[in-house]
Amino acid sequence: MDPGLFRRVAGRFATGVAIVTSVVDGADHAMTVNAFASVSLDPLLVMFCPEKIARFHDLALDAGEWAVSVLGEEMRDASQWFATRGRMLDGQLQGWDHVRGPVTGAAIFKNAVAALECRTHAVHDAGDHSIVVGEVLSLHVPSPDTKPLIFYGGEYHRLDR
């Protein structure tokens, strides 16, 4: 199978965009993801899929706790910034309006349409990615009137409603 064709075909599934954050040794870490989904209602579980070669992969696993901010449409720049490979880590959250999650201490973006704090429940091998399943520890709706940022066909879109 052609990986480029696979990417185009898989990209035909519209997704939201989220940033997963964690704190390791007092330092903030963050990564944009669009492979995020709810998994179970009993217990409450969600999952995201970091690429194994990403810096964030091992950091999130080491932290054991993390937060997910589902991005609003005005957070496209944040999505692109936190998807940038090799960006500087020191001060990477500066300029992005956020609060600390009350349970994990991980950053939650104030303009997010939804946010969750999680503890790693399981990690599964998935080729060049891992499936990280998290037990939900807290739920937040930071910006309830904001429309979500959508990713489809390799591009960002706005939800018309």
Side-chain angles (χ1 to χ4, degrees), residues 95-152:
W96 304 108
D97 209 8
H98 65 281
V99 298
R100 297 281 165 196
V103 178
T104 65
I108 293 174
F109 292 90
K110 288 185 178 179
N111 291 333
V113 298
L116 309 91
E117 291 182 277
C118 303
R119 176 181 302 120
T120 301
H121 175 79
V123 179
H124 303 283
D125 181 64
D128 59 0
H129 285 63
S130 291
I131 300 169
V132 180
V133 179
E135 173 190 2
V136 177
L137 304 174
S138 70
L139 301 165
H140 312 273
V141 183
S143 189
D145 297 326
T146 300
K147 292 180 184 176
L149 182 62
I150 305 296
F151 197 73
Y152 175 78

Side-chain angles (χ1 to χ4, degrees), residues 48-65:
F48 76 100
C49 300
E51 189 175 17
K52 289 178 182 175
I53 63 169
R55 290 186 296 209
F56 189 82
H57 180 276
D58 292 342
L59 291 166
L61 298 183
D62 290 346
E65 293 182 337

Side-chain angles (χ1 to χ4, degrees), residues 17-22 28-35 48-58 60 67-69 71 78-79 81-85 87 89 92-93 109 129-130 132:
V17 183
I19 296 174
V20 181
T21 58
S22 64
D28 288 303
H29 301 279
M31 182 180 76
T32 300
V33 300
N34 74 337
F48 76 100
C49 300
E51 189 175 17
K52 289 178 182 175
I53 63 169
R55 290 186 296 209
F56 189 82
H57 180 276
D58 292 342
V68 179
S69 294
L71 302 186
S79 171
W81 171 247
F82 292 105
T84 302
R85 291 184 188 273
R87 72 182 179 285
L89 295 177
Q92 66 178 313
L93 294 178
F109 292 90
H129 285 63
S130 291
V132 180

